[in-house]
Amino acid sequence: MSDTTRPTDQGPTDQGPTDQIKTVTNPAGMVQSAASQEYTSIEHLILRVVMKVLFAPIIVFALYVQFHGDYGPGGGFQAGVIFAVAFILHALIFGLEATKKALPQGWLSVLMVVGVLLYAGTGVANMLLGGHLLDYDTIDPQSTHHAGQHYGILIVEFGVGVAVASTMLMIFYQFASREPEISDEEW
Amino acid sequence: MENDTVTLAEAATLAIDLSLLTLLFLVAYQMLKSRHLFAVVMLSGIYSLLSALFFVSLDAVDVAFTEAAVGAGISTVLMLAGMLLTARREKPLMPGRAPVAILVVFLVGAALMYATLDMPAFGDATAPANAYVGLQYIERTPNEIAVPNIVTAVLASYRGFDTLGETMVIFTAGVAVMLLLGAGSIKGGRQVKDVSDDGEAQQ
Amino acid sequence: MDILQFIADRYNYWVVIVLMMLGLYTVISRGNLVKKIIGLNIFQTSVFIYYISIGKIRGGTAPIYVPGDMEARTDHGDDHGSGHGAAHGEDVHAIHGEPANAMADAVKANASSGHETVASTASLHAEPTHHAGASNSLETDIAFNAEGSAAADPHGASEGGVVLGEVIYSNPLPHVLILTAIVVGVATTAVGLALAVRIREAYGTIEEDELEAADNIAEFGTEDPREAAAGAAA
Amino acid sequence: MWDLIRDILSWALILIGSAALVIGAIGLVRFPDFYTRMHAAGVTDTAGAELIVFGLMLQAPSWIVVAKLAFISFFLFLTSPVATHAVAHAAWVVGVRPMLGPDLKREGDD
């Protein structure tokens, strides 16, 4: 075992315990470390069942927070984070590979751009409609109840939500798909 | 207490605020003391939830919501992942570091404490921060935006450009993490071996 | 008693400063990079609490219009009684129509308010009621439609115990700033952690002094560069 | 009349819930080993939070608030025991074993 965090040991493990870290594709295994292999089939049974019950409500709640942000606490930032949390929970319990099948990493990098472009594009569209940047009243100039502002805020918040959710998930994917070099005895 | 009427509700709020702040202090102190990084990360989740509770007490429901979702949901998981990839334990404090740090910290703290003597009172409606721009938002939102949640109106409309910038910062941070950890592969990089030669050289 | 009042008015800021000192101490004194990032988070949260504390208004509520209040505050919401519309609309209109004037007023008021704050702090022990008095005069001028006018207001119909159009809301601006700052904070924390992870992979440690020693060994072949310099000179 | 009953009932629920949480906190400090502490925290946490939410439900001004509180209570009922289970299970997998018999009287484990 060449790899420790002892102060005397300067070098990283290059060709160290490759046999030791072979099964850490599952972040749940990472977090609940030292799980013996024979457990894994039934180990997370309760967590899996509850996760299946909870996953859809969390997504629905995220959507509620996203689109109810005009009327109550909430908005794109919170909704994006909650949406990301649902998938992070999924990854923690079912493993990162399963989550990546459900929501591929390539989509995320596209969605990150789409979110920001949705926001910026709304602003540019307002300019093209003859107003200032992000002057939502140009969307519906005739409205007496500021319908343009409502539409603008909804679109922009949606852009924020998409950008935040995909960025947070992307960051999580990047961290979780790395293999820890530290042996479990360090705990 | 002659002139100002302290109601029961205000006294209760004061008690709740004080207990929350005490808990915040204790948790922060324990985070400073503990060398077990797993415990520190868990405590940071508790710290976030406590501060979210305190935000509710200060009427900032949107902020509390965000802090609870981010602090308990994302931040803790990311820190956990970061900790798993780096180190589980912190080394003991180097002797000689603490006195300098204490000196700097107490100087800064004393200066800030001195500055609070001139601060407007807590909850003062006429404080410069509250009387002008903030009040304008409250007065104008019904006429100009017509959205019940003033925070959303200010966030997405009045200060929409600001929020665009914030979104860009988040996007940039995501790209930075991708570049640092993803190793250029859209399929998700595995462990990178490009540094092992240097590691050998250092030994 | 005024000492107590003084403390009650500021205890929030002091606790926030103590939290900030804890965070700063963690950042400076601890050598572990992850611990430094966590210290930075403590610091950051204390700044958040400080901002939100400033925005709190005594007796206020969360900055979301209570049902019916938004309509009561609009100019064109004539269905809520023209009397109120006139009384209230005038006020908004003055701000709305002549921003330059409003700005000038604001600056004037700002100057006087700053003056009064200093005065009230200076004379706090001598005259405990001064601050409240100063606050009240300002309040009736600019901060709120005077409480007294609520009685004369034909719209003074209260719904569920609140007088519409007169509800006090906490300042929404700090909330907006901090809300975005929290999410940006976690994104930047992730960047910091990613850097720490890469450093760990390159050096095998994230302790500051060991990193420095490793750099020195790589550059000079010894942990102490001064030794190497002395050796080279000799 | 209904108001009075409602107030008494909701206050009773809230106070019992708070008492449960306080008792749980005391148990968390006083109990000797990990599993008994987990037991104290887990059981009273679920019960106390549920009771407080029920008490709040009786005070709710409108049905929509009742519905929201019902959702909260449902999710608390689902997640709180599961969290306790996950923590206890993780401890078991890592190798923490419950104290048994005369050991239970001592402070500190293993």
Side-chain angles (χ1 to χ4, degrees):
Chain A
M1 185 59 63
S2 65
D3 179 40
T4 63
T5 49
R6 297 279 139 67
T8 50
D9 193 322
Q10 300 284 346
T13 49
D14 33 354
Q15 59 272 35
T18 41
D19 52 337
Q20 267 236 322
I21 53 175
K22 63 179 187 293
T23 52
V24 204
T25 50
N26 181 348
M30 275 165 53
V31 172
Q32 304 182 354
S33 73
S36 347
Q37 290 308 307
E38 66 266 27
Y39 275 109
T40 42
S41 57
I42 54 161
E43 185 183 20
H44 305 305
L45 185 65
I46 294 176
L47 295 181
R48 278 165 192 261
V49 170
V50 170
M51 179 62 214
K52 279 180 179 164
V53 177
L54 281 182
F55 188 77
I58 294 176
I59 299 284
V60 172
F61 183 58
L63 291 175
Y64 168 79
V65 170
Q66 171 80 58
F67 294 110
H68 201 258
D70 287 8
Y71 301 98
F77 286 101
Q78 293 94 329
V81 169
I82 292 171
F83 193 83
V85 162
F87 280 91
I88 289 176
L89 206 54
H90 188 276
L92 286 177
I93 290 170
F94 292 106
L96 188 64
E97 296 307 320
T99 312
K100 275 187 176 170
K101 262 182 215 154
L103 190 61
Q105 196 168 351
W107 293 15
L108 285 182
S109 39
V110 173
L111 282 176
M112 279 166 73
V113 182
V114 166
V116 176
L117 282 185
L118 204 56
Y119 199 135
T122 312
V124 175
N126 289 319
M127 285 173 77
L128 294 179
L129 286 168
H132 295 291
L133 184 77
L134 296 168
D135 179 9
Y136 309 131
D137 276 327
T138 53
I139 296 175
D140 192 354
Q142 269 82 44
S143 169
T144 53
H145 295 283
H146 298 283
Q149 292 283 354
H150 280 262
Y151 292 139
I153 288 176
L154 271 182
I155 298 169
V156 158
E157 289 271 15
F158 187 62
V160 171
V162 170
V164 169
S166 50
T167 308
M168 291 298 155
L169 261 182
M170 178 59 96
I171 290 173
F172 174 74
Y173 276 11
Q174 299 297 349
F175 273 102
S177 43
R178 260 192 136 54
E179 290 165 356
E181 296 184 338
I182 312 168
S183 61
D184 286 327
E185 289 82 61
E186 294 268 333
W187 288 88
Chain B
M1 306 275 174
E2 310 88 38
N3 42 9
D4 55 345
T5 54
V6 176
T7 61
L8 188 66
E10 275 185 12
T13 316
L14 187 73
I16 292 173
D17 283 2
L18 279 178
S19 51
L20 282 177
L21 286 172
T22 312
L23 280 174
L24 272 173
F25 171 76
L26 291 178
V27 171
Y29 182 74
Q30 200 54 44
M31 282 161 79
L32 169 67
K33 277 288 148 197
S34 176
R35 291 198 297 111
H36 200 170
L37 286 179
F38 184 82
V40 174
V41 169
M42 286 300 140
L43 283 172
S44 84
I46 294 173
Y47 186 76
S48 287
L49 286 176
L50 281 174
S51 61
L53 277 178
F54 191 55
F55 289 146
V56 175
S57 164
L58 294 176
D59 294 343
V61 282
D62 277 277
V63 182
F65 194 178
T66 319
E67 178 72 43
V70 167
I74 300 271
S75 187
T76 309
V77 171
L78 287 183
M79 289 234 193
L80 216 52
M83 181 205 71
L84 281 166
L85 294 171
T86 51
R88 260 81 152 175
R89 274 190 177 280
E90 183 197 2
K91 268 190 21 174
L93 187 61
M94 288 281 288
R97 239 179 213 281
V100 182
I102 286 176
L103 185 71
V104 170
V105 165
F106 271 88
L107 275 180
V108 173
L112 288 173
M113 291 275 187
Y114 179 67
T116 56
L117 300 185
D118 284 344
M119 287 282 294
F122 173 62
D124 188 358
T126 58
N130 296 331
Y132 305 107
V133 183
L135 191 69
Q136 287 295 306
Y137 286 135
I138 294 172
E139 294 287 344
R140 286 183 177 200
T141 300
N143 288 318
E144 294 179 359
I145 314 287
V147 162
N149 188 350
I150 309 172
V151 173
T152 301
V154 178
L155 181 88
S157 191
Y158 284 118
R159 301 181 68 89
F161 195 52
D162 186 4
T163 310
L164 177 60
E166 308 271 14
T167 315
M168 295 292 272
V169 171
I170 294 166
F171 174 77
T172 314
V175 172
V177 172
M178 279 169 80
L179 291 175
L180 279 169
L181 296 183
S185 157
I186 206 161
K187 297 266 187 291
R190 289 271 144 238
Q191 187 177 5
V192 190
K193 300 279 188 185
D194 58 349
V195 291
S196 55
D197 296 337
D198 286 350
E200 287 296 310
Q202 280 159 24
Q203 285 182 335
Chain C
M1 206 41 126
D2 49 346
I3 291 281
L4 262 184
Q5 184 64 41
F6 187 73
I7 291 172
D9 282 346
R10 280 165 187 79
Y11 70 91
N12 235 320
Y13 304 135
W14 294 338
V15 177
V16 163
I17 289 171
V18 170
L19 287 180
M20 189 224 73
M21 285 161 69
L22 276 175
L24 190 62
Y25 180 75
T26 312
V27 172
I28 298 176
S29 71
R30 293 304 188 258
N32 188 298
L33 294 182
V34 173
K35 193 76 176 273
K36 269 184 199 287
I37 291 173
I38 288 171
L40 210 57
N41 271 347
I42 299 178
F43 193 125
Q44 205 180 22
T45 309
S46 80
V47 175
F48 296 162
I49 297 174
Y50 173 72
Y51 260 67
I52 302 293
S53 294
I54 290 178
K56 166 77 178 171
I57 292 176
R58 189 185 297 263
T61 180
I64 298 171
Y65 292 114
V66 297
D69 190 42
M70 188 175 79
E71 290 76 14
R73 283 168 181 261
T74 46
D75 294 346
H76 52 74
D78 283 335
D79 47 338
H80 281 278
S82 55
H84 174 78
H88 189 81
E90 206 179 282
D91 198 20
V92 175
H93 210 263
I95 297 156
H96 207 42
E98 296 135 15
N101 254 358
M103 191 60 77
D105 281 354
V107 169
K108 221 188 301 166
N110 199 356
S112 71
S113 117
H115 177 74
E116 266 157 7
T117 312
V118 172
S120 71
T121 317
S123 65
L124 208 118
H125 297 280
E127 196 186 353
T129 55
H130 176 77
H131 193 80
S135 307
N136 277 339
S137 69
L138 251 174
E139 204 169 290
T140 42
D141 286 347
I142 55 158
F144 299 106
N145 294 327
E147 304 269 330
S149 80
D153 193 351
H155 188 68
S158 62
E159 272 179 32
V162 292
V163 182
L164 296 181
E166 305 292 340
V167 187
I168 302 172
Y169 297 105
S170 286
N171 189 354
L173 186 57
H175 301 184
V176 174
L177 300 177
I178 296 313
L179 192 149
T180 52
I182 287 173
V183 184
V184 168
V186 74
T188 47
T189 301
V191 176
L193 283 172
L195 280 169
V197 168
R198 287 309 296 259
I199 289 172
R200 169 66 177 74
E201 284 174 4
Y203 286 83
T205 177
I206 53 167
E207 299 284 344
E208 222 177 32
D209 41 342
E210 292 172 14
L211 292 176
E212 210 170 327
D215 270 350
N216 285 338
I217 287 172
E219 195 171 348
F220 304 109
T222 169
E223 275 198 31
D224 193 355
R226 276 166 299 184
E227 260 178 40
Chain D
M1 184 60 192
W2 165 235
D3 276 354
L4 187 67
I5 295 171
R6 198 173 63 171
D7 272 0
I8 291 172
L9 218 67
S10 81
W11 271 103
L13 283 172
I14 291 175
L15 286 178
I16 294 171
S18 311
L21 289 177
V22 171
I23 291 168
I26 293 172
L28 200 60
V29 178
R30 291 284 299 156
F31 275 163
D33 82 327
F34 175 81
Y35 289 96
T36 46
R37 282 178 190 165
M38 207 62 226
H39 173 74
V43 172
T44 58
D45 199 33
T46 315
E50 289 286 334
L51 286 173
I52 288 176
V53 170
F54 285 142
L56 291 178
M57 257 189 223
L58 290 175
Q59 293 281 354
S62 66
W63 283 108
I64 189 90
V65 177
V66 175
K68 284 177 186 174
L69 284 171
F71 271 116
I72 292 175
S73 103
F74 173 70
F75 288 126
L76 269 180
F77 192 70
L78 209 58
T79 52
S80 186
V82 170
T84 311
H85 160 79
V87 174
H89 188 267
W92 178 266
V93 168
V94 165
V96 180
R97 291 291 174 268
M99 290 164 121
L100 294 172
D103 279 351
L104 213 45
K105 291 188 185 116
R106 279 192 287 123
E107 282 291 327
D109 46 357
D110 103 319

